[in-house]
Amino acid sequence: MPDPINIIICDDQDIVREGLKTILEADSDIRVIATAEDGEDLFRQIESSGIPDMVIMDLKMPVINGIQATRMLRSRHPNTKVLVLTTYDDDQWVMDAIRAGASGYLLKDTPRIDLIDAIKGTLQGQTFVDPSVAGKMLAMAAGTIPRPVESSAPDIRPREKQILLLIARGMSNADIAAELYLSEGTVRNYASALFNRIGVTDRTQAAIAALRYGIISLDDI
């Protein structure tokens, strides 16, 4: 039996911390080893409970906010992933969190099953971004990432373009499968083949590359 995923929840609201703890621990693959009320408390909890595999991080907190805590955490414990879970979807919060080292950005109205999928997927190297902020993040990121070395876009078939577009909208493999009437395994295979052809390793990079190549446009998102 694989080891459980060790998580610390960092949020300044008691009800959120306790609610998330209950939700996450209902999954046998996840263990909440501590909760913290702000960034300063997070590092106290790490000292007493150990280094987690992941921190579920709120952003707007007193003392040390989520952006500062993410930056400090990634510097001190680079193997620990940060998944932002917040109510804020404005441009500055999104980009500051990603630049600080967050591996994903979800809003607090994310369904339980999607949150669990994001936690497990993030630890496997995937990137999860809430659909409502995906377009903003990609618009800003696309302007800062160099165009791929290849002068022309890879040959992308219509079905693959559909999947790339839905990835750029922040949809999970399960959501894409339902949208296109495919199995989740088929979508996963399409995505893996696309990543190899475009030369990227995760969903966010794939979406940005698709924008840079002109395969999709921001208006599509």
Side-chain angles (χ1 to χ4, degrees):
M1 183 175 179
D3 293 334
I5 300 166
N6 290 325
I7 286 178
I8 294 180
I9 298 167
C10 188
D11 193 291
D12 63 337
Q13 294 184 314
D14 291 345
I15 192 169
V16 173
R17 293 196 303 273
E18 293 307 312
L20 276 175
K21 186 174 187 292
T22 299
I23 288 170
L24 297 184
E25 289 192 330
D27 189 295
S28 60
D29 294 331
I30 295 174
R31 178 172 60 191
V32 177
I33 61 173
T35 63
E37 62 185 19
D38 55 51
E40 184 176 64
D41 189 30
L42 170 63
F43 293 101
R44 286 196 296 266
Q45 297 301 328
I46 289 175
E47 285 184 11
S48 61
S49 301
I51 301 170
D53 299 306
M54 176 181 288
V55 172
I56 306 297
M57 186 81 75
D58 190 19
L59 293 181
K60 197 170 183 180
M61 298 181 292
V63 189
I64 296 177
N65 68 32
I67 302 296
Q68 296 165 323
T70 296
R71 191 176 295 114
M72 293 166 63
L73 181 68
R74 295 292 293 155
S75 174
R76 298 179 189 182
H77 307 294
N79 292 328
T80 296
K81 302 289 188 181
V82 175
L83 182 62
V84 170
L85 187 66
T86 186
T87 58
Y88 300 97
D89 65 350
D90 61 273
D91 298 359
Q92 197 60 54
W93 281 112
V94 173
M95 286 310 294
D96 284 351
I98 299 301
R99 286 171 180 151
S103 297
Y105 197 109
L106 299 178
L107 300 183
K108 286 183 177 176
D109 60 359
T110 298
R112 173 190 173 278
I113 187 63
D114 290 345
L115 175 59
I116 298 295
D117 286 346
I119 289 170
K120 295 178 180 180
T122 297
L123 289 175
Q124 295 171 357
Q126 300 177 44
T127 301
F128 289 80
V129 179
D130 191 277
S132 68
V133 302
K136 297 178 183 181
M137 190 188 82
L138 291 172
M140 290 180 280
T144 64
I145 294 179
R147 185 179 180 84
V149 174
E150 294 84 357
S151 59
S152 60
D155 182 27
I156 301 295
R157 293 183 285 275
R159 175 65 85 186
E160 294 172 327
K161 181 177 179 179
Q162 283 182 304
I163 290 173
L164 264 178
L165 175 58
L166 297 179
I167 286 174
R169 288 176 178 169
M171 294 175 66
S172 67
N173 286 343
D175 291 336
I176 294 172
E179 177 79 13
L180 300 180
Y181 302 100
L182 299 171
S183 71
E184 190 171 347
T186 298
V187 172
R188 192 178 299 112
N189 290 338
Y190 267 119
S192 178
L194 277 167
F195 292 177
N196 288 335
R197 196 177 315 153
I198 297 173
V200 299
T201 59
D202 64 41
R203 300 165 79 85
T204 300
Q205 291 177 6
I208 292 171
L211 285 168
R212 299 292 287 169
Y213 277 128
I215 298 169
I216 61 174
S217 71
L218 288 174
D219 290 339
D220 294 328
I221 300 172

